[in-house]
Amino acid sequence: MNCTCMNDLEKKLAEKYTADLGKPAEAKCEGVAIVFGRSVSAMHRTPFRIKADVPGYRKGKEVSFFASFCPFCGRSTKNEETPA
């Protein structure tokens, strides 16, 4: 991503839970994906589980929605040096 929101949020959550729990805590966002295209970048992803009574979906199948903008600061997830 073109911002540091995920890293900043992980750091703040780790600090908060370290203080609340009285023990060192770590926070890791699990909704980020590495995307390969013209360049390597990171994007926020939101996983969904789809269930239906058809083969391949009976136990649920994960599909992901990739945000084109950071949900925290609104900056585009596209690399600034890469043309759209």
Side-chain angles (χ1 to χ4, degrees):
M1 293 178 64
N2 291 322
C3 61
T4 61
C5 290
M6 292 298 184
N7 292 338
D8 296 345
L9 186 56
E10 287 172 341
K11 183 178 177 183
K12 288 176 184 177
L13 285 170
E15 290 171 356
K16 182 213 182 312
Y17 279 94
T18 294
D20 288 353
L21 300 172
K23 300 268 184 176
E26 294 180 6
K28 184 69 178 160
C29 179
E30 295 182 344
V32 177
I34 302 296
V35 180
F36 297 95
R38 291 182 183 173
S39 63
V40 178
S41 61
M43 295 178 77
H44 178 79
R45 78 176 184 94
T46 304
F48 293 90
R49 183 147 309 271
I50 309 298
K51 285 185 171 185
D53 192 18
V54 296
Y57 289 86
R58 288 191 177 102
K59 292 183 179 179
K61 181 176 184 176
E62 184 178 290
V63 296
S64 293
F65 168 82
F66 292 90
S68 57
F69 291 86
C70 173
F72 303 105
C73 70
R75 288 183 69 182
S76 174
T77 58
K78 292 185 174 147
N79 288 334
E80 293 172 354
E81 68 276 359
T82 304

